[in-house]
Amino acid sequence: MPIITILPIIQAVGLFVFCIPWGIFMAYLASSGEITAECMCSLDQDDDTEDSLILLNSTNISNRTNGTAIISDDSTGCGEGCFLYKSFSYSQNTKYAGLYMLFVWFWTSQFIVAIGQLVVSISTAMWYFTKNKIGVGNGTFFKALILTLMYHLGTAAFG
């Protein structure tokens, strides 16, 4: 059964093929959030610690004018000593969809591994219980693969 040595390569190819649509779906899901722009301003110009930074979101950019966090009408929407950064905010349904996609990733990758384990175990059992070891070859591997695909996919899916 020398062909059984390429089973990990077959599993890796199967996982790679699964990763292509999964990655596309995750990219679409990640880009479905709302973009929010926020300003980060320093309250004290002499102190560069993180404690001296104040977050100004889009709701309070226009009405915050005290201290050194004076907001001007330049192209970034932030004043002197401030910088603008953007982030995504997601709805609750999008967060649940992300968790579901994470579950799909773990379940499918383990399903592919379980199929490989079943093929190896059935091949080994067929080899061990064969009286005439000369008749054991690559056909044993393919028979174990067919038996796994026909009768044991539910076992692999259930875990």
Side-chain angles (χ1 to χ4, degrees):
M1 289 186 301
I3 199 162
I4 203 167
T5 58
I6 66 165
L7 184 63
I9 297 170
I10 295 170
Q11 285 179 306
V13 167
L15 193 57
F16 178 74
V17 167
F18 166 72
C19 283
I20 293 170
W22 186 84
I24 292 170
F25 292 152
M26 285 302 292
Y28 278 121
L29 187 64
S31 66
S32 68
E34 287 289 323
I35 299 174
T36 57
E38 301 182 46
C39 288
M40 183 71 72
C41 299
S42 175
L43 290 177
D44 187 10
Q45 296 293 336
D46 298 331
D47 189 14
D48 289 336
T49 62
E50 288 186 27
D51 296 335
S52 67
L53 294 177
I54 185 169
L55 177 65
L56 302 174
N57 59 24
S58 58
T59 60
N60 61 3
I61 285 177
S62 60
N63 59 11
R64 175 112 180 147
T65 56
N66 58 353
T68 59
I70 299 171
I71 305 305
S72 66
D73 291 332
D74 61 353
S75 62
T76 62
C78 293
E80 186 70 30
C82 299
F83 63 92
L84 178 73
Y85 73 95
K86 297 180 181 179
S87 62
F88 283 101
S89 60
Y90 298 102
S91 69
Q92 196 67 24
N93 286 339
T94 306
K95 291 177 185 177
Y96 287 144
L99 289 174
Y100 173 75
M101 289 300 291
L102 185 65
F103 170 76
V104 166
W105 165 259
F106 287 131
W107 186 84
T108 305
S109 63
Q110 290 307 305
F111 179 72
I112 292 169
V113 168
I115 289 174
Q117 290 173 341
L118 282 169
V119 169
V120 169
S121 62
I122 291 172
S123 296
T124 305
M126 290 172 69
W127 165 79
Y128 184 78
F129 291 111
T130 300
K131 290 182 181 180
N132 185 8
K133 303 290 187 207
I134 297 172
V136 176
N138 287 336
T140 306
F141 169 78
F142 289 114
K143 186 173 180 184
L145 182 64
I146 290 171
L147 286 173
T148 300
L149 295 177
M150 288 181 64
Y151 300 112
H152 298 291
L153 283 182
T155 303
F158 189 65

